[in-house]
Structures are given as structure tokens and as C-alpha cells.
């Protein structure tokens, strides 16, 4: 794993709000991640979350049949698959996330398999952090390509620097590809940057960077394994997102999100 970040890469991430790392995984690691994904997906029986069919928030504001064909989305595979747990709890990933976000500790918010099926819809331009149960401008995600992600099958796109100006206002993620530019008109004329990646490469992006993905114009799959990271020390903001009804009942706004069974601390600076 290419887990050592240079000061230039960290500065680039801070400036652009995203960073691509080519050939992040070795061929053996890529094959282990693919096996883990296959096993974890097969054991899920279609549930998006462990023991739960749907997620609150993302997509609820969109036409469901359209959103269901943006990608197959399976969340928190680390909680019910041993291989995925081993992959996701890797301290090296947490250290990279901490260095990029300039934080001292990193917790998993949630992992997520995002599988664009053949002929899948595009992923409309959107932000991530406003969906989550904490509000931190430094929160970020890793996105690892498990197939080549190309212009044809749905590679990611980013609006560089947008994370410096976006807020927690969330136009959602619906059918209208460009809805976000009504909420953030200052980016209407921005240049977007494509991030095609070979399988095994990855990107990190700030959850407030405007990003999206092409439709899958092919008969093949575009599989990605991702993980959203919460800087340690964050508190509950009242948004349910991936939390269960029981968890929400026990939380008050302002409570620390420090339960290692839900949000494991995978890195702490010593
Ligand atoms: O994989 C995609 O199509 C979109 C990914 C994304 O939005 C994310 O990882 O935050």
C-alpha cells in the first residue's frame, strides 16, 4: 500500500479538496479487497446496512427507482464481514486521513461499497458531509477503485477548491445533475476535473468538495470501496443518517460520538 504521503500531496489535498493516488494497492492487496467485497456483498442479502434495508437521508429526496440505479450501495460492511473489518480498521488508512485532514484522530463514520451496475445512472454533483450526524469541515472519504474507473463506466469528477466555500446547505442528490449549482452559484462556471483511475488506485476527498460521477455507459461493473472518516472529538448534530433508531434515542445533540462499536477510532496521533 502506498500509504506514505508527501508534504506536496497534503498541500495539494488542502488546496483542491481531493487527491488521487495511482497504484495505491499492490496487486495482491487489490485481489484481497475484491475478494472481501464479493464475500461481504454476497452475505448481505441486499440490505444496505447490517440488518437494515434502507439508509436515512441519502436518496430519500429523489425518485427511488432512479437512485437505486445510480449504484448498489452497501454500508458498514466492516461490521459484518471479517475481511472487510481487517481492511477498514487498518491504522495506515486512518493515519493518511489524519494527515490529509490535519486532525489528531480518525474514526470510521461508515464504509460503503459503491457498485455502478451496467448502464447505471450518473451520480449527480453533491456534497457528503451535510448528510452525516456530525458537522466538521475536515471530514473526508477514501474511494478505492476495484475496477478500472473510466470516462465510459463512471469515474469520479471533482470541482477543485469548492470545499473552501461550500457550507452545510444540502441540495440533496437527485435526478438533476446540476442542482448543487443553484445552492452554490459561485461554482456555475467552474472547471471540473475528472479522476479516471486504474483498479487499485484511490482518491481522498473532503466531504464538502463538490463531486459526482459519470453514468456507466458500458455492460461492465464499476466497483469502488469507500470509507467516510470522522475526525475524533465530533459531536451529534441531530441528523440520523446511518445511526439506528435505538442509537438516536440514546443521543442528545452535542453528545460525543465516541462509541468504538459504532465509530471505531482507527488512528490517534501519539
Ligand atoms: O462512486 C460514486 O459514483 C460516487 C462516490 C461518492 O460520491 C463518494 O464516495 O462520496
Amino acid at each position: 500500500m502506498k500509504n506514505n504521503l508527501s508534504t506536496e500531496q497534503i498541500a495539494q489535498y488542502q488546496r483542491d479538496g481531493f487527491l488521487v493516488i495511482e497504484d495505491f494497492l499492490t496487486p495482491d492487496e487489490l485481489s484481497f479487497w475484491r475478494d472481501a467485497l464479493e464475500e461481504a456483498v454476497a452475505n448481505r442479502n441486499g440490505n444496505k446496512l447490517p440488518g437494515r434495508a434502507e439508509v436515512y437521508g441519502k436518496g430519500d429526496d429523489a425518485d427511488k427507482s432512479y437512485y437505486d440505479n445510480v449504484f448498489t450501495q452497501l454500508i458498514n460492511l466492516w461490521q459484518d464481514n471479517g475481511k472487510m473489518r481487517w481492511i477498514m480498521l487498518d491504522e495506515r488508512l486512518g493515519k493518511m486521513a489524519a494527515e490529509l485532514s490535519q486532525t489528531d484522530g480518525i474514526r470510521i463514520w461508515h464504509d460503503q461499497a459503491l457498485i455502478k451496475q451496467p448502464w447505471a445512472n450518473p451520480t449527480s454533483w453533491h456534497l457528503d458531509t451535510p448528510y452525516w450526524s456530525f458537522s466538521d469541515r475536515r471530514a473526508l472519504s477514501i474511494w478505492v477503485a476495484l475496477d478500472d474507473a473510466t470516462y465510459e463506466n463512471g469515474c469520479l469528477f471533482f470541482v477543485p477548491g469548492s470545499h473552501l466555500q461550500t457550507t452545510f446547505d444540502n441540495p440533496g442528490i437527485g435526478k438533476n445533475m446540476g442542482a448543487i449549482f443553484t445552492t452554490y452559484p459561485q461554482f456555475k462556471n467552474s472547471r471540473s476535473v475528472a479522476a479516471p483511475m486504474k483498479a487499485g488506485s484511490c482518491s481522498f476527498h473532503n466531504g464538502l468538495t463538490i463531486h459526482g460521477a459519470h453514468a456507466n455507459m458500458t455492460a461492465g461493473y464499476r466497483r469502488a470501496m469507500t470509507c467516510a472518516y470522522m475526525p475524533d472529538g465530533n459531536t451529534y448534530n441531530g441528523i440520523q443518517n446511518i445511526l439506528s433508531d435505538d442509537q438516536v434515542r440514546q443521543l442528545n445533540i452535542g453528545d460525543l460520538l465516541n462509541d468504538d462499536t459504532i465509530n471505531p477510532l482507527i488512528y490517534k496521533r501519539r
Side-chain angles (χ1 to χ4, degrees):
M1 184 185 286
K2 271 198 203 163
N3 57 300
N4 289 320
L5 291 164
S6 66
T7 42
E8 289 74 26
Q9 284 175 308
I10 296 169
Q12 191 183 333
Y13 171 85
Q14 291 284 325
R15 184 192 65 217
D16 295 340
F18 72 96
L19 177 75
V20 174
I21 304 174
E22 301 286 359
D23 300 319
F24 174 60
L25 299 179
T26 65
D28 282 351
E29 287 167 340
L30 174 59
S31 139
F32 184 77
W33 282 54
R34 283 175 167 164
D35 284 353
L37 181 74
E38 200 176 321
E39 189 180 289
V41 170
N43 291 339
R44 254 308 160 83
N45 300 320
N47 277 348
K48 278 198 178 171
L49 284 147
R52 204 167 95 199
E54 287 302 326
V55 64
Y56 304 102
K58 215 161 192 170
D60 290 356
D61 50 356
D63 175 334
K64 195 174 173 318
S65 71
Y66 178 90
Y67 193 75
D68 283 349
N69 194 36
V70 171
F71 36 52
T72 299
Q73 179 188 30
L74 300 168
I75 299 173
N76 278 343
L77 295 171
W78 73 268
Q79 291 179 355
D80 55 12
N81 181 270
K83 285 185 183 143
M84 208 47 99
R85 185 180 173 84
W86 195 82
I87 287 172
M88 286 299 151
L89 268 59
D90 190 330
E91 187 185 17
R92 292 174 298 175
L93 297 179
K95 182 162 188 277
M96 293 175 86
E99 285 173 355
L100 291 170
S101 61
Q102 308 200 324
T103 54
D104 290 336
I106 286 289
R107 291 182 181 274
I108 289 183
W109 177 241
H110 63 66
D111 72 19
Q112 187 164 223
L114 295 176
I115 303 170
K116 266 201 194 289
Q117 306 281 339
W119 319 120
N121 291 322
T123 315
S124 293
W125 291 107
H126 68 281
L127 306 177
D128 298 333
T129 319
Y131 286 103
W132 298 339
S133 313
F134 62 98
S135 305
D136 188 324
R137 298 197 63 86
R138 303 163 303 173
L140 73 169
S141 291
I142 186 173
W143 189 101
V144 183
L146 299 186
D147 296 304
D148 291 348
T150 65
Y151 286 97
E152 289 78 22
N153 72 3
C155 69
L156 292 179
F157 281 72
F158 299 99
V159 176
S162 48
H163 65 304
L164 300 173
Q165 288 183 49
T166 50
T167 64
F168 294 94
D169 289 342
N170 189 8
I173 177 168
K175 283 181 179 173
N176 185 357
M177 189 69 188
I180 199 155
F181 300 105
T182 305
T183 310
Y184 298 106
Q186 65 268 45
F187 295 109
K188 248 186 186 144
N189 298 315
S190 293
R191 184 179 62 97
S192 67
V193 172
M197 279 179 231
K198 281 188 295 179
S201 300
C202 80
S203 59
F204 282 85
H205 65 267
N206 183 302
L208 290 175
T209 302
I210 299 177
H211 61 286
H214 266 171
N216 186 351
M217 304 298 275
T218 77
Y221 287 80
R222 188 232 64 187
R223 293 171 299 172
M225 192 61 214
T226 78
C227 189
Y229 297 117
M230 170 172 72
D232 190 30
N234 265 285
T235 56
Y236 181 54
N237 63 9
I239 298 174
Q240 178 159 10
N241 190 227
I242 52 136
L243 300 172
S244 68
D245 292 340
D246 268 356
Q247 287 158 359
V248 161
R249 259 192 293 278
Q250 285 163 33
L251 281 169
N252 292 310
I253 291 176
D255 284 353
L256 263 182
L257 294 169
N258 61 355
D259 182 339
D260 285 309
T261 63
I262 307 169
N263 306 118
L265 183 69
I266 59 166
Y267 175 75
K268 186 90 193 159
R269 192 143 65 108
R270 282 180 273 273

